[in-house]
Amino acid sequence: MATPSASLTATERILAVAACGLVAHWIFNRREPSDFRVLFALLFVAPAVASQLLFPLYGIFSGFLLSFFVYHTTLLASIIIYRLSPLHPLARYPGPLLAKITRWYWTLVALRGRQHVETQRLFELYGDAIRVGPNEVWFRDPAVLQPMLGSQGMPKSATWQGRSLNAPIQALIGIRDNASHARRRRPWTRAFSSAALRNYEPVIARRGAQFVELLAEKKRVDFGHWVHLFAFDFMSDALFGGGSESMQDDDADGVVSASKEAFSDAQLYENLPWVGFLVRYLPAVGKKTKLFRASCLRRGLERLRKGSSTKDLFYWLNNEDESEKENPPKPVVIVETGLAIIAGSDTTSVTLTNLVYCILAHPHVYERLQEEIDRFYPPEQDAFDSQYLSQMRYLDAVINETMRVYPVLANGTQRGPEPGTGGFVAGEHFIPEWTSVRVPQWSMHRDARNFTLPLAYTPERWLLAANLPAPPSVLDSVIATGGLVHNTGAYTPFSYGSRNCVGRNLALLEMKLVVTHMLQRVRLRFAEGFDPSTWEARIQERFNLVLPELPIVVERRV
Ligand code: HEM
């Protein structure tokens, strides 16, 4: 007996294959699948199965090719038409045409390290909300921080799965579910309480002294390179109680550089999550990420075996203080160590490098900072004794201003509606499910509606805003006519809300102690041949900022 399909005409058979393409679009649209296996099924298996409808009329080879052509052309055309149509839920948000059609547009911007600059350009062109991908909108508006990132805001978006190479266990920063995130964050909060912070001071002192001595001995260094090794060794001590001597052996095992590159690679996986899923199963790809993870596993297991006599970060993460009823599974603790090392070392080292660049490029700022440091910490005073830090307002201002002009996570991190909710409403904005949003710090910090003369590096603004006596600066003439604009509500170098940087206090303590000790001991200047005017143009954004070389000459003061 003939099957029902046997009576179909050629046109009907081709239309049936096209209909399969439309169904595939419907699935893409509803689910945004990133799992490579699902993509393979939709992009290869489905047209292969549909091709059987064409075999009787066109033969196996031609039927197969025709089916793929019809299926993919229909799928592509329907995706493009829908993404550009007024029916798309993000239709009201302006952006480049290509960005609305395909994620590849923004992926290429990201791979060139230019997201921060391109975002700024698009905000100027289109206004405070821009569509940078078919399902991605970025906002330059401090008013959306509270509804979108606040305690009732959105969790992390699905793209974090890609960032982590589809890891079965997410580190704190990638956990989507709000309740699980809050639970996992508790030991971190205890680890960075004011009382716990004191445990890290001797570690900062030991590593900070080693770092500054190393600078003084080497005399001419790439500051960014060595401060990263310092921050890595410090974080390893703070986390595991030791295990890394990268300052001593100049990163001989390549783990520090791997940690940095792993971060950069993740930007590709974040934009194209299916690549992340694929890389997980390809041993030859993503080697740096895997090398770094293996080192965390090794050190974590070693720390478990040896235990520790000090309250390192591992002590809190592993519930050795017994605050939680149940101990966390060991794989969870190991995953958290990877986050701690990267989040705790790359961020502070990039900020310290930018700070040194900024004070050298603005000699009057260097002089004022030096004067304050010499006043509180003359040579005979231990600069690692934190007792005067709270009075050093110019140091505070220099750090704040450095992070305003150069926020390390220039574009913040993604958020997206809770799965299964259909979408999220924030004031006038409706964010459909499967959409990602960001509120980029780089653009908000450089918006004249938030900060007077936003591109001018002027620590004095922080003193003026706090009604403290401030030395003269370029701001004075502008303020005389229009007043100071200083919107701290738009200042988010550590992000915002219940998922903000949990290590903020440790970072500030570490940076303040190291800068104070460094400037007490040595004098810095740009090395000959270095052109400071090219600095900013050469900065790349790869989740964290990636800085050019900063060659400096170091002379002992004491
Ligand atoms: C200048 C230094 C630092 C800056 C600018 C910085 C900035 C940030 C930012 C912007 C986030 C993302 C928050 C979000 O997703 O909304 C973050 C998260 C995080 N940071 Fe930092 N950070 C710094 C230093 C540190 C240090 C020293 C640690 C210590 C280990 C640390 C640990 C973390 C952790 C664990 C998270 C994830 C928090 C969560 O998801 O709940 N950070 N940081």
Side-chain angles (χ1 to χ4, degrees):
M1 201 176 78
T3 59
S5 65
S7 59
L8 292 178
T9 64
T11 312
E12 285 166 342
R13 285 165 195 265
I14 287 174
L15 282 177
V17 176
C20 294
L22 287 177
V23 171
H25 178 202
W26 183 81
I27 297 171
F28 271 114
N29 195 36
R30 301 288 299 177
R31 295 256 140 234
E32 280 264 319
S34 301
D35 187 327
F36 191 73
R37 290 159 296 188
V38 180
L39 290 175
F40 183 74
L42 284 173
L43 298 178
F44 187 81
V45 179
V49 171
S51 67
Q52 310 218 0
L53 279 171
L54 306 181
F55 290 169
L57 297 187
Y58 300 97
I60 293 184
F61 184 67
S62 303
F64 201 72
L65 285 185
L66 185 59
S67 172
F68 266 74
F69 175 75
V70 172
Y71 181 94
H72 282 285
T73 309
T74 313
L75 175 61
L76 203 65
S78 123
I79 286 178
I80 292 175
I81 292 167
Y82 176 65
R83 288 180 174 175
L84 292 179
S85 81
L87 294 178
H88 194 281
L90 299 181
R92 63 179 280 213
Y93 297 106
L97 191 78
L98 270 177
K100 292 179 185 174
I101 294 175
T102 168
R103 241 186 141 90
W104 276 100
Y105 175 88
W106 202 246
T107 305
L108 294 179
V109 174
L111 291 180
R112 285 191 291 116
R114 305 308 288 164
Q115 283 188 109
H116 57 309
V117 179
E118 183 62 3
T119 312
Q120 183 88 333
R121 188 183 74 80
L122 295 180
F123 280 133
E124 294 307 323
L125 193 65
Y126 294 112
D128 289 338
I130 51 173
R131 191 168 159 199
V132 301
N135 297 314
E136 181 138 2
V137 187
W138 289 18
F139 297 92
R140 181 184 61 174
D141 180 4
V144 306
L145 283 170
Q146 170 56 27
M148 290 190 186
L149 275 68
S151 54
Q152 304 300 313
M154 285 178 272
K156 292 290 160 71
S157 77
T159 50
W160 279 83
Q161 206 61 35
R163 272 198 80 82
S164 67
L165 303 188
N166 195 24
I169 301 174
Q170 287 287 327
L172 177 74
I173 199 164
I175 296 178
R176 293 196 76 185
D177 173 61
N178 280 333
S180 311
H181 175 267
R183 220 174 14 254
R184 184 86 78 77
R185 190 165 154 124
R186 286 201 301 251
W188 286 91
T189 310
R190 285 195 290 275
F192 298 130
S193 68
S194 318
L197 273 190
R198 275 184 227 115
N199 294 322
Y200 305 111
E201 283 190 23
V203 188
I204 301 175
R206 197 172 61 247
R207 288 302 189 175
Q210 182 190 358
F211 168 59
V212 173
E213 188 51 33
L214 185 146
L215 293 185
E217 274 171 18
K218 291 202 174 294
K219 297 190 174 72
R220 189 187 191 282
V221 292
D222 169 14
F223 185 85
H225 173 70
W226 290 99
V227 78
H228 190 203
L229 299 187
F230 150 73
F232 197 94
D233 287 350
F234 159 67
M235 214 47 233
S236 294
D237 286 358
L239 173 62
F240 298 121
S244 171
E245 292 299 339
S246 69
M247 273 192 283
Q248 207 172 291
D249 62 22
D250 196 3
D251 189 25
D253 58 7
V255 171
V256 183
S257 66
S259 75
K260 183 117 191 154
E261 285 173 42
F263 227 159
S264 301
D265 292 353
Q267 204 161 28
L268 171 66
Y269 314 143
E270 172 182 306
N271 278 286
L272 300 173
W274 58 269
V275 179
F277 280 59
L278 190 59
V279 164
R280 185 176 176 78
Y281 302 105
L282 299 177
V285 196
K287 274 190 181 153
K288 301 282 180 181
T289 308
K290 290 167 189 169
L291 173 71
F292 174 67
R293 284 186 178 178
S295 97
C296 291
L297 177 62
R298 205 177 51 249
R299 286 177 187 167
L301 292 176
E302 205 173 301
R303 165 64 177 76
L304 274 172
R305 207 178 53 249
K306 285 189 182 158
S308 169
S309 53
T310 58
K311 291 184 181 176
D312 50 22
L313 176 51
F314 200 96
Y315 167 90
W316 305 98
L317 297 178
N318 194 33
N319 196 33
E320 290 168 15
D321 63 326
E322 299 182 351
S323 293
E324 303 290 330
K325 281 198 196 102
E326 283 177 28
N327 286 334
K330 298 299 173 248
V332 167
V333 182
I334 300 291
V335 165
E336 296 294 60
T337 63
L339 169 63
I341 292 278
I342 292 199
S345 61
D346 203 44
T347 47
T348 43
S349 57
V350 166
T351 304
L352 286 169
T353 309
N354 272 320
L355 185 148
V356 166
Y357 163 77
C358 288
I359 61 172
L360 291 181
H362 301 86
H364 61 284
V365 174
Y366 192 161
E367 250 169 59
R368 287 167 188 172
L369 181 59
Q370 187 73 65
E371 185 279 318
E372 185 179 79
I373 287 173
D374 289 349
R375 188 153 35 92
F376 285 99
Y377 291 95
E380 64 283 5
Q381 184 75 38
D382 177 6
F384 288 118
D385 174 351
S386 59
Q387 65 170 315
Y388 299 116
L389 287 186
S390 60
Q391 298 173 51
M392 297 176 70
R393 304 305 294 260
Y394 201 71
L395 175 60
D396 272 353
V398 166
I399 291 176
N400 282 342
E401 185 67 351
T402 303
M403 292 195 292
R404 186 187 68 79
V405 179
Y406 298 120
V408 182
L409 271 77
N411 293 313
T413 65
Q414 283 167 324
R415 300 288 194 277
E418 193 106 33
T421 53
F424 184 89
V425 178
E428 52 164 316
H429 301 287
F430 173 69
I431 311 298
E433 202 174 331
W434 305 108
T435 302
S436 291
V437 305
R438 287 204 199 196
V439 190
Q441 292 118 341
W442 182 280
S443 303
M444 280 205 307
H445 292 182
R446 288 167 175 244
D447 186 339
R449 291 169 298 178
N450 296 325
F451 296 99
T452 302
L453 295 182
L455 302 185
Y457 180 81
T458 324
E460 287 70 21
R461 72 177 77 238
W462 296 89
L463 304 177
L464 291 165
N467 288 322
L468 292 167
S473 73
V474 289
L475 296 173
D476 297 344
S477 57
V478 186
I479 296 171
T481 51
L484 178 73
V485 180
H486 192 82
N487 180 6
T488 48
Y491 177 68
T492 54
F494 292 104
S495 189
Y496 184 93
S498 52
R499 289 168 184 259
N500 69 355
C501 177
V502 72
R504 178 180 178 275
N505 292 342
L506 175 64
L508 290 173
L509 178 69
E510 176 191 347
M511 293 192 295
K512 286 179 189 179
L513 288 175
V514 168
V515 170
T516 306
H517 177 74
M518 181 171 69
L519 296 193
Q520 183 198 52
R521 299 274 138 183
V522 294
R523 183 96 205 151
L524 312 175
R525 64 181 155 81
F526 288 134
E528 251 164 58
F530 174 74
D531 178 2
S533 67
T534 63
W535 180 256
E536 188 162 313
R538 291 189 293 137
I539 292 179
Q540 296 191 0
E541 191 269 342
R542 300 189 178 278
F543 191 74
N544 272 8
L545 295 181
V546 175
L547 305 180
E549 236 182 66
L550 181 59
I552 55 161
V553 173
V554 185
E555 283 162 18
R556 285 188 197 277
R557 292 182 74 217
V558 287

